[in-house]
Amino acid sequence: GDDTQPTNLLIEAGTVIYGESATNGFLVITRSSTITAEGTATQPIVFTTDLLDGARARGSWGGVVLNGRAPINACTDGATDCEAEGEGGTGVYGGSNAADNSGVLKYVRIEFGGTEVSPDNEINGLSLNGVGSGTEIDYLQVHMNLDDGIEFFGGSVSAKHLVVSAPGDDGLDWDLGWNGNVQFAVVQQQSGGGNNGIEADNNPDDYLASPVTDPVFSNLTLIGDPTSAETNFGVLLRRGTAGELHNVAIAGFSSGCLAIRDPETYDNFTSGAAGLAHARFVCDPAFETGTEEIPFDAGADNEIIPDLELQDAWNTGSPDFRLGSGSPLSAGGVVPSGSFFTAASYIGAFDGTTDWTEGWTSFAAN
């Protein structure tokens, strides 16, 4: 698109899109335009590199970028319609339409992306830049991306059934006033990369910028690499982010399952603008120093346990994130209110029966 006239990119189920590796190819859907990429469990739509199997690696091409007209908080001057330039020079995003529609991504896999356009300027697997609530995202995997798996830069888009596997940086990242919902998401780190399972900010330059980052999550499984030498938290909340995390299972992160930083972030927990409930932690140490009191607020139902007892969550080639027999996650989940959320009485992204990743995901090493 041209950032003005409406244009729709229609991609049929079963299509493979090859991002060229020679000059850092990537796909951008500009503001006012949409993408309709609706695959199926047996015919997913795949965005991948043009390199042959065996030669593929993180950063072999760019990624997918959606630029929308939903509000962001990147402006510090109080302008009504804040706008920003996307990472990697991927265009302008932001506006005043919270219900903006960038299209549909369903049964989609994005793999081996994240090329470095310039030093320290990489493309996320999926960048959601000021994307509005009219956009539909369901059953989406980002695999082997050099930078973050999925990053929400402001906006109000929601999503279900997300898989981020083997990210080179964070699994899920959000900032700049994002206030959507997510249910059923899993992050699996693998050796050779990976930072935090979740890295969450408000605005890195103004921790009190409005609209405040304020998403609601339910049913989240975060699987870390306990051998990682990098800073490696399951969830890192900082720089004034608000938001709620419900029914979260975290294990294997070498720096800790949870870190909460900055007075503005703590103030959000004190005021009730942020919350963590029905979470289970399996990390050593469990929390970054100073964070310990938050998980055990009255009524939060958060626990440190010895094992999540998942079926095969650390298998990097063919993982099974479902609950094992007798898993302590099989009960105790309480889903937030609202029509977006599906009833689920368990903790984490999976029950013990249904593997919603089957058929359309891939965990290939190269």
Side-chain angles (χ1 to χ4, degrees), residues 23-48:
T23 60
N24 303 330
F26 50 83
L27 174 65
V28 180
I29 307 300
T30 63
R31 297 185 301 182
S32 299
S33 294
T34 55
I35 180 172
T36 303
E38 190 164 353
T40 69
T42 56
Q43 289 188 300
I45 293 168
V46 181
F47 293 88
T48 190

Side-chain angles (χ1 to χ4, degrees), residues 188-189 221 223 310-316 319-322:
Q188 184 205 50
Q189 290 188 333
T221 298
I223 302 299
L310 306 181
Q311 294 198 21
D312 201 5
W314 275 269
N315 185 325
T316 57
D320 189 340
F321 302 107
R322 292 177 296 175

Side-chain angles (χ1 to χ4, degrees), residues 13 15 33 55 57 63 90 102 112 152 210 228 244 261-262:
T15 303
S33 294
T90 52
S102 294
F112 302 105
F152 301 83
S210 180
S228 175
E244 301 175 18
R261 298 177 183 169
D262 305 312

